[in-house]
Amino acid sequence: MKVILNVDVKYLGEEGDVKNVATGYARNYLLPRNLAVPYNEATVMIFEARKAEIEARKEQKRKDSASLKEKLEATTVELIMPAGNNGKLYGAVTTNVVADSLSKLGFEIERKKIELPGLAIKTVGTYKAIIKLYEAQTAEIQVVVKAQGDEATEEK
């Protein structure tokens, strides 16, 4: 069933997008919640009238994403994790850990938008993480993983 989205729907699309979805999904979820309207001549004309307004919102999202990219790329996430003498972590640094660290720094990034090299970091070192922003924009941040208690082993 073809529908036009009234608002941004996570994992589906943005406001004004025309999507082909399962009939049950449209009838039982999208239409009752006013997230979408059926695709027909009347609704197409309504969205054509709102096209400039929708494009202005999308342009604002692009600008916000560009400024967020600059701020993120200037940020270094430093994580202190328990590790053995050989530098191997007892646990692993996952996207969840990086997302929590970013939220402490004031960035609200979903963990699903963060890509780590090899799914998880399991050794001490410096890594690059990629964060997916709006549309095709991405930001690359530096993740520094240090061993907990490096100071204690140096004193012995």
Side-chain angles (χ1 to χ4, degrees):
M1 175 178 201
K2 257 187 169 179
V3 295
I4 303 175
L5 300 177
N6 273 337
V7 293
D8 295 355
V9 179
K10 200 173 196 175
Y11 309 118
L12 186 59
E14 297 180 328
E15 179 182 11
D17 289 354
V18 176
K19 294 290 179 174
N20 202 3
V21 298
T23 307
Y25 181 55
R27 193 176 334 132
N28 297 323
Y29 183 76
L30 296 174
L31 298 176
R33 289 173 174 81
N34 273 339
L35 300 176
V37 293
Y39 183 87
N40 57 38
E41 288 181 28
T43 55
V44 169
M45 292 181 68
I46 291 169
F47 276 92
E48 285 297 322
R50 292 177 42 197
K51 193 171 195 144
E53 175 188 327
I54 293 168
E55 279 303 315
R57 270 194 231 124
K58 286 183 180 182
E59 187 59 37
Q60 184 60 41
K61 286 181 184 178
R62 285 185 198 101
K63 288 178 184 174
D64 292 345
S65 174
S67 68
L68 180 62
K69 178 180 178 171
E70 291 173 13
K71 291 176 187 173
L72 279 171
E73 288 183 342
T75 303
T76 299
V77 176
E78 194 169 300
L79 301 167
I80 299 173
M81 303 288 288
N85 292 337
N86 60 357
K88 190 169 180 171
L89 300 178
Y90 290 132
V93 175
T94 61
T95 56
N96 227 359
V97 175
V98 176
D100 289 344
S101 300
L102 285 171
S103 69
K104 289 176 185 173
L105 295 172
F107 299 105
E108 290 303 319
I109 307 290
E110 292 178 36
R111 68 176 179 81
K112 292 180 180 178
K113 293 185 176 187
I114 300 172
E115 277 184 19
L116 293 176
L119 298 176
I121 299 170
K122 297 183 180 182
T123 56
V124 174
T126 303
Y127 301 90
K128 299 276 186 199
I130 297 171
I131 299 175
K132 297 174 192 163
L133 301 172
Y134 185 70
E135 291 177 337
Q137 287 187 347
T138 60
E140 194 172 275
I141 63 168
Q142 192 170 21
V143 179
V144 179
V145 181
K146 294 184 178 178
Q148 187 179 43
D150 269 349
E151 305 82 29
T153 56
E154 289 173 5
E155 292 173 6
K156 290 182 181 176

